Amino acid sequence: MFRITARTVLELGSELISSDIIAFYELIKNGFDAGTKQGVDIKFDIVLTRRNYLRLRKLIEAGGALSELKKAVVDELLPTASAAARAGFDAAIASAKTPEELRRKLKQAQRSFNTITVSDTGTGMSREDLEKSFLVIGTPSRKKDVEAALARGDKQTPYLGEKGIGRLSAMRLGERLLVETARETDTALNLLEIDWRAFSDVDAMLDQIAVVPTLGGPKPKSDWSGTSVVISDLVENWTEPRVREMADYDFARLTDPFANATTRPRVAIHWNGERISIPIMSNALLTAAHARVDGTYALVDGAPVLTCNFEALSLGFEHPLEKQTIVLTEEDLQAAIIGKDGPVEDSALQTVGPFSFEAHWYNRRRLGAIDTIGEQKAVRELQEKWSGILLFRDRFRVFPYGEDEDDWLELDRRALRRSGYTLNKTQFIGRVNISRTENPQLVDQTNREGLRETSEQYVLLEVLRYAVQDMLGKFMKEVERQYKHQKVDLSDAQAQVTRLEDRARTAIRQLRRLTPPEGDEAIEELQQTLFEFSEFAARARQRIIEVEQESRQMVEMAGVGLMVEVVAHELARASENALKALANLKGADVPDRLRSHFSTLQAEMKSVSKRVRVLDPLSVSGRQRAEVFALDEAIRDAIEAHHSQFLRHKITPVLELPSRPLRIRAVKGMIVQILENLISNSVYWLDMRADREPSFRPEIKIGLTSGPPILTFEDNGRGIAPENREQVFKMFFSLKDTRRRRGLGLYIAREAAQHNDGTLVLDDERNPETGRLHRFLLELPAGSQA
């Protein structure tokens, strides 16, 4: 049997309670768990601050007249302290006969009369409760009740705390503890006094430290119930400015500041009898956000569904209010959050449970004055004060998420690598709501420093990062691309410039006829000005054309880049296989075996050759030239180039091509790019389904019809949700996991189709098996058929 030393209690307290606000949080939770009817009150009764006490002790130790030393002490006592506490100090000072006695009695008064009291009007505790529950570290009673609520499927948790160690938080604040408590049926108060210094004896065992409840004086009222935890011999320097600062920041964020003020759990703070207000977040500040996202993660018939609503309100350029809703079902979440080789099982998407979140984004440079808040400086300071995305469980804060030094969603780290909008954590005001009963696997670490690392915690973080980091940022970029960088229509402008030039020339000719010879020089200067204007307009038109051409080339180069990435992957794989085949040739004397290895090498090198040849028509120069070619032959070449890859992934290609060649006039490189991007996507999603369904047989089907030329491309993978039918073509939208998330393939494919006066769409016919969309349609104009 283990035996526990007394100092283990001190070690537990120091390790598990890491900060003052955590200590208060634990004591406050105990009050609400006791069913307090009037909230929780925290009362600081400070006569002499610790800093001034230490300074006075040095003064007394240095010696001097007793009367002068007493006067120095009295001058430092706070007149706002309670009468009882001030009287205790006054009596100690007055009774001192020598400087040494003054030093000793001042120390006793400092330990006894400076107090912090945390009180509630809950059910209270009997003497038996104190002995069998409060004095039992790790008591199981609340945990049993919470587990029973989970088993019943209750929506509300019976208790905020369940570990039975919150009472140790008192030692973080002071060395002495007095518990005054009573149930409604008790006739007197029940007392428990603890001197934590007694546990510091290194030789003492825990059972040797006597801590026994006693009977106290009468209750305030006969039907009163509740608990007061009185902490003395304080270890920190408590001052009014420090308490106000904690109220302004820490206590303001201790309970959900987004909630209605009337429904928030009541926590009141008092400094020497004066109530210190705890700020409430201004709704006007949330209304002033420049963009926002809110989302719900729900379980619908046991399957997870993520719904995110995005709003672009004012991004710094002229645009209307833009809104977008993204719905991700289980198949999408498996891909985006876990991926093909994620570190957790798919089941964590269900066991994480439902939660909700909202994040309001601010461009701090563009924050202006708000009538209900103040001038620009005040608004910026208020936004900075409330900045951070906080995590709340059952309306109470989960630390340290949202603290200034905590970047739990990695917003700052990723912002350093991002151009355009930088989504720093200080630019957000937000919250995430979870609960103990609906998210039972999201459990605090014992030291209250965040959630335990579990599969469910991984899912929660990845969902939030995906919604806030990826989707919100890409939504804002899409709005910028749509409204800030619109194409300039030069046709009308060029016609207007031509008309102005003609009018100017006509006017100059008339001036030449009417002006005397001495005005010829002025007319010549006017003629020269017209020439310069015409040249400038021509250069401007040419530059705009060049910029648009460069923009197209950027898209084309991005497409080539994606293709190079695929080819490089294939080249690396083929090279590795070729090297293995060559290594196996060493010492091989059997001719048949030798031929076998050479055949493998030949096949791999042939695959590499075909894959590299694909790049030739994808070059920028090659992509710009329209030519006549057989579309069915290009399809066969693309499929043959992926032969080795299809074998590895056990994908069966099915071609439904016309018996006669279908020749078209188009930019071949762009058509090949469309095919390559569709194939690349299919391989990924087929692999996703095959990984989760062992009996699945992946298949890609490509069909081709004429008049006009229409290419159909579909697979039997997981499909695309109807809600995302247009989203998949938007730049940077992707449902792949983090390592493979590019979001350019289908965007580039549609751009390539439009360049050839064609269309690329996702057919709206739902697959009867999956209820999702599987078929892409590439339609070229009828005139393209040669």
Side-chain angles (χ1 to χ4, degrees):
M1 177 182 291
F2 286 106
R3 296 190 65 203
I4 302 175
T5 60
R7 65 188 180 90
T8 302
V9 173
L10 301 182
E11 295 291 338
L12 281 172
S14 62
E15 288 295 325
L16 302 183
I17 311 301
S18 55
S19 66
D20 292 332
I21 188 61
I22 293 291
F24 282 116
Y25 175 41
E26 292 296 324
L27 294 172
I28 290 170
K29 281 200 307 183
N30 284 343
F32 283 99
D33 280 345
T36 179
K37 297 175 282 293
Q38 299 173 348
V40 173
D41 288 270
I42 301 173
K43 297 179 180 179
F44 292 82
D45 194 1
I46 306 297
V47 184
L48 180 62
T49 65
R50 181 173 177 80
R51 181 178 180 181
N52 286 340
Y53 162 71
L54 294 175
R55 186 175 59 79
L56 288 171
R57 190 175 70 177
K58 288 184 178 180
L59 180 66
I60 296 170
E61 290 172 351
L66 180 62
S67 59
E68 293 296 324
L69 294 175
K70 286 185 176 182
K71 182 178 183 304
V73 173
V74 171
D75 288 344
E76 294 296 341
L77 301 183
L78 296 178
T80 56
S82 68
R86 180 65 187 258
F89 267 86
D90 289 340
I93 296 167
S95 63
K97 305 300 184 186
T98 63
E100 173 59 28
E101 189 177 1
L102 176 63
R103 183 191 67 80
R104 189 174 63 253
K105 292 198 172 187
L106 182 62
K107 180 180 180 180
Q108 293 172 351
Q110 180 73 11
R111 287 184 171 182
S112 301
F113 299 110
N114 285 327
T115 60
I116 299 174
T117 303
V118 181
S119 58
D120 66 71
T121 54
T123 57
M125 291 179 283
S126 64
R127 273 196 293 173
E128 184 180 7
D129 294 331
L130 286 172
E131 186 170 347
K132 294 186 177 180
S133 294
F134 190 88
L135 288 175
V136 177
I137 297 174
T139 179
S141 57
R142 289 184 180 176
K143 185 170 181 60
K144 289 179 179 178
D145 291 342
V146 171
E147 289 179 346
L150 291 175
R152 291 192 302 268
D154 293 354
K155 294 296 183 182
Q156 298 292 330
T157 180
Y159 295 111
L160 297 169
E162 58 186 85
K163 295 182 176 64
I165 55 176
R167 67 217 59 182
L168 299 180
S169 59
M171 74 171 66
R172 166 84 191 191
L173 302 173
E175 299 287 358
R176 293 181 183 177
L177 172 66
L178 170 63
V179 179
E180 299 176 329
T181 183
R183 287 189 172 274
E184 188 175 348
T185 55
D186 290 332
T187 56
L189 292 173
N190 304 302
L191 306 181
L192 180 67
E193 293 188 71
I194 300 176
D195 185 344
W196 298 112
R197 283 193 173 89
F199 294 84
S200 62
D201 186 347
V202 295
D203 296 320
M205 303 305 291
L206 185 58
D207 56 5
Q208 294 175 318
I209 307 299
V211 181
V212 181
T214 59
L215 192 64
K219 298 194 301 182
K221 292 191 301 182
S222 60
D223 61 346
W224 181 88
S225 66
T227 300
S228 292
V229 175
V230 184
I231 302 165
S232 58
D233 199 356
L234 306 180
V235 298
E236 297 284 347
N237 182 50
W238 292 103
T239 63
E240 184 177 358
R242 181 185 176 191
V243 173
R244 289 189 180 276
E245 183 180 351
M246 287 188 70
D248 199 47
Y249 182 82
D250 295 305
F251 285 102
R253 296 149 67 100
L254 191 62
T255 58
D256 186 355
F258 291 77
N260 189 300
T262 60
T263 61
R264 287 180 68 183
R266 177 187 173 276
V267 178
I269 302 175
H270 308 263
W271 171 266
N272 286 356
E274 179 187 355
R275 174 81 175 267
I276 294 180
S277 65
I278 299 177
I280 299 173
M281 184 188 298
S282 169
N283 285 330
L285 182 61
L286 299 181
T287 305
H290 298 114
R292 63 170 60 97
V293 55
D294 67 79
T296 57
Y297 188 96
L299 295 178
V300 180
D301 297 328
V305 177
L306 172 65
T307 304
C308 294
N309 301 301
F310 302 93
E311 287 185 89
L313 301 146
S314 177
L315 299 184
F317 52 88
E318 189 172 339
H319 67 85
L321 170 64
E322 284 290 308
K323 295 184 178 182
Q324 183 181 91
T325 298
I326 301 292
V327 179
L328 303 184
T329 58
E330 184 173 17
E331 294 84 356
D332 302 322
L333 291 168
Q334 287 174 353
I337 304 305
I338 297 177
K340 290 203 296 185
D341 47 8
V344 302
E345 296 296 324
D346 290 348
S347 58
L349 293 170
Q350 286 86 26
T351 55
V352 66
F355 58 90
S356 63
F357 59 91
E358 61 183 285
H360 305 258
W361 179 82
Y362 300 81
N363 183 339
R364 290 176 48 78
R365 290 178 296 180
R366 298 189 61 251
L367 277 173
I370 299 176
D371 291 341
T372 56
I373 297 176
E375 296 301 319
Q376 183 186 59
K377 182 180 178 182
V379 175
R380 287 182 176 178
E381 289 176 350
L382 190 64
Q383 189 277 329
E384 183 177 9
K385 169 191 168 182
W386 290 105
S387 66
I389 298 179
L390 311 175
L391 178 62
F392 295 94
R393 179 191 287 110
D394 298 313
R395 301 185 299 170
F396 281 83
R397 177 92 181 272
V398 178
F399 289 88
Y401 304 118
E403 291 293 287
D404 288 342
E405 66 278 3
D406 181 70
D407 188 20
W408 66 301
L409 298 182
E410 300 179 351
L411 291 168
D412 283 356
R413 184 173 69 84
R414 295 202 179 186
L416 295 175
R417 306 197 304 267
R418 183 186 288 115
S419 60
Y421 296 107
T422 53
L423 305 183
N424 299 312
K425 67 177 187 294
T426 54
Q427 293 178 310
F428 281 101
I429 296 176
R431 65 169 173 177
V432 182
N433 283 321
I434 63 175
S435 75
R436 181 67 183 90
T437 54
E438 295 198 297
N439 310 100
Q441 303 305 318
L442 298 177
V443 182
D444 291 356
Q445 297 188 46
T446 306
N447 63 359
R448 306 304 196 270
E449 288 296 321
L451 300 174
R452 294 179 186 174
E453 292 188 8
T454 62
S455 298
E456 292 74 18
Q457 181 246 21
Y458 174 88
V459 169
L460 174 71
L461 294 184
E462 289 302 312
V463 167
L464 295 173
R465 288 168 183 161
Y466 184 57
V468 178
Q469 282 181 351
D470 291 304
M471 289 199 288
L472 177 60
K474 289 165 185 175
F475 167 68
M476 292 161 66
K477 285 184 178 179
E478 175 66 20
V479 175
E480 180 182 37
R481 190 182 70 85
Q482 185 176 355
Y483 293 101
K484 189 176 180 180
H485 304 298
Q486 298 185 36
K487 281 188 176 182
V488 179
D489 185 1
L490 293 179
S491 57
D492 186 51
Q494 185 170 351
Q496 289 186 36
V497 169
T498 301
R499 286 195 299 271
L500 289 173
E501 288 175 344
D502 291 341
R503 288 172 57 189
R505 290 191 185 97
T506 301
I508 290 173
R509 284 196 299 269
Q510 291 176 353
L511 284 173
R512 284 188 187 280
R513 289 197 301 268
L514 300 174
T515 304
E518 58 268 23
D520 287 349
E521 184 177 348
I523 292 176
E524 190 62 35
E525 184 176 347
L526 184 60
Q527 178 74 58
Q528 186 61 35
T529 301
L530 175 60
F531 288 151
E532 291 177 0
F533 169 75
S534 298
E535 290 179 0
F536 173 78
R539 288 197 303 271
R541 287 195 300 270
Q542 182 60 32
R543 182 55 189 148
I544 291 173
I545 292 171
E546 290 173 356
V547 168
E548 291 185 351
Q549 176 68 14
E550 290 169 1
S551 176
R552 283 196 299 270
Q553 287 192 358
M554 286 297 293
V555 173
E556 291 159 5
M557 290 303 295
V560 174
L562 289 176
M563 195 61 228
V564 168
E565 183 179 3
V566 174
V567 171
H569 179 72
E570 291 293 306
L571 180 58
R573 182 186 295 275
S575 300
E576 290 172 1
N577 290 337
L579 289 173
K580 288 178 182 177
L582 288 172
N584 289 333
L585 289 175
K586 293 181 179 179
D589 299 325
V590 181
D592 291 341
R593 185 178 179 186
L594 187 63
R595 282 195 298 270
S596 173
H597 287 305
F598 272 122
S599 296
T600 302
L601 180 59
Q602 184 181 19
E604 293 291 352
M605 290 300 100
K606 184 178 180 181
S607 174
V608 170
S609 175
K610 289 177 181 177
R611 299 295 283 150
V612 172
R613 282 206 309 272
V614 168
L615 285 178
D616 182 53
L618 293 176
S619 65
V620 173
S621 59
R623 285 168 60 90
Q624 294 298 323
R625 294 193 305 270
E627 59 182 293
V628 176
F629 64 96
L631 181 53
D632 54 303
E633 184 179 334
I635 294 171
R636 289 189 181 93
D637 287 344
I639 293 298
E640 188 178 356
H642 286 271
H643 178 70
S644 296
Q645 185 183 30
F646 288 168
L647 284 178
R648 286 196 310 275
H649 295 273
K650 299 179 181 178
I651 296 173
T652 301
V654 178
L655 300 182
E656 297 178 351
L657 306 179
S659 56
R660 298 178 59 185
L662 176 57
R663 300 179 67 79
I664 62 169
R665 177 175 291 278
V667 180
K668 185 177 181 181
M670 290 186 171
I671 303 302
V672 171
Q673 180 72 72
I674 295 171
L675 281 168
E676 288 293 332
N677 287 350
L678 292 174
I679 291 172
S680 177
N681 273 346
S682 279
V683 170
Y684 178 85
W685 296 112
L686 289 170
D687 224 20
M688 279 284 298
R689 185 169 182 183
D691 187 55
R692 287 163 169 79
E693 301 176 28
S695 61
F696 173 65
R697 297 293 178 263
E699 180 181 281
I700 290 176
K701 183 184 294 184
I702 303 177
L704 184 60
T705 58
S706 59
I710 297 178
L711 183 151
T712 62
F713 184 102
E714 63 180 306
D715 61 47
N716 62 340
R718 319 208 70 176
I720 296 169
E723 297 85 355
N724 296 326
R725 183 177 176 227
E726 281 302 311
Q727 297 293 337
V728 295
F729 291 104
K730 290 186 177 180
M731 186 183 292
F732 303 122
F733 180 86
S734 175
L735 294 174
K736 294 181 181 178
D737 59 73
T738 307
R739 291 193 299 111
R740 300 173 177 87
R741 195 172 295 156
R742 304 287 186 275
L744 287 173
L746 290 177
Y747 169 78
I748 292 171
R750 174 171 276 188
E751 288 280 310
Q754 292 172 351
H755 183 85
N756 287 275
D757 297 325
T759 59
L760 178 64
V761 299
L762 183 58
D763 191 9
D764 60 3
E765 182 181 345
R766 299 193 185 197
N767 182 288
E769 179 189 352
T770 64
R772 291 159 71 88
L773 311 181
H774 289 250
R775 183 184 299 119
F776 288 91
L777 300 176
L778 170 63
E779 181 175 346
L780 298 172
S784 67
Q785 190 165 334

